[in-house]
Amino acid sequence: MIHQEREHNEEPETSETRKERVDRELGELLQGLRVAVTGVQVLFAFLLTLPFAAGFHKLDTVGRWLFFVALLSAALASVLFITPAAQHRLLFRTPLKEKMLRRANKLGIAGAVGLAIAMTSSVALVAETVINAWPAALFGGAIALASGWLWILQPIVDLYRIRDVKP
């Protein structure tokens, strides 16, 4: 049996209504955010305990700034990732689901940026503490490049590529 590939701009044939599609997409988005929120909350919890650990006072100025950037960006990412679930509870059974879906998508993207910053600065903090400044920049940069490419840039490139494909 030969399968014909769907054109990139065709919607899959489905019998779901617009409301059913929005409900499904919102459920899928909230499920994806649950995965991200768990990771950022573990990092955030660790960062919250760090100042009370022995040896924290030995951090130099760069280490303290890296810690502060990691802490704030992890907190912001947590807020951004949790917001769609909180808003879903408040707006449940209202005609605002599609608006909530679009907003939740934007919040998820912003949360991913915050998480990337938190991870980058956390890795740089550990490297700066354990090794020294230039490897910290190298390892932090590697995390920034990996998360920036895989989470943001590669999907954007894919979007531009499918727009350039002529049917």
Side-chain angles (χ1 to χ4, degrees):
M1 185 166 144
I2 299 173
H3 296 289
Q4 290 183 331
E5 289 188 32
R6 241 185 244 117
E7 293 295 328
H8 70 283
N9 56 358
E10 282 184 33
E11 288 291 320
E13 290 184 31
T14 180
S15 60
E16 68 183 356
T17 66
R18 182 179 176 133
K19 181 189 178 316
E20 290 169 335
R21 180 185 52 80
V22 170
D23 288 346
R24 177 183 51 79
E25 289 176 353
L26 184 60
E28 290 172 1
L29 180 65
L30 291 173
Q31 185 59 35
L33 291 174
R34 282 185 191 101
V35 172
V37 80
T38 301
V40 77
Q41 285 180 326
V42 168
L43 177 58
F44 186 47
F46 169 74
L47 290 167
L48 285 173
T49 65
L50 203 56
F52 305 104
F56 183 80
H57 67 280
K58 296 178 186 175
L59 284 180
D60 62 5
T61 302
V62 172
R64 289 179 185 270
W65 275 106
L66 286 170
F67 166 76
F68 193 67
V69 168
L71 181 69
L72 287 182
S73 55
L76 179 61
S78 293
V79 168
L80 293 168
F81 285 144
I82 293 168
T83 296
Q87 288 188 0
H88 181 256
R89 291 295 82 208
L90 290 168
L91 300 175
F92 186 66
R93 295 189 177 165
T94 69
L96 298 172
K97 264 194 185 167
E98 197 163 349
K99 181 176 186 167
M100 185 175 32
L101 176 63
R102 287 191 303 275
R103 182 183 298 149
N105 188 59
K106 291 174 186 173
L107 289 165
I109 293 167
V113 171
L115 178 56
I117 293 168
M119 290 171 56
T120 297
S121 51
S122 295
V123 167
L125 170 61
V126 170
E128 199 266 341
T129 302
V130 175
I131 307 171
N132 64 32
W134 79 263
L138 180 69
F139 295 134
I143 298 300
L145 287 173
S147 58
W149 171 252
L150 293 169
W151 296 354
I152 308 294
L153 296 174
Q154 190 177 45
I156 289 172
V157 168
D158 289 342
L159 286 172
Y160 280 110
R161 283 184 180 157
I162 66 168
R163 287 183 185 157
D164 291 339
V165 175
K166 307 263 190 238

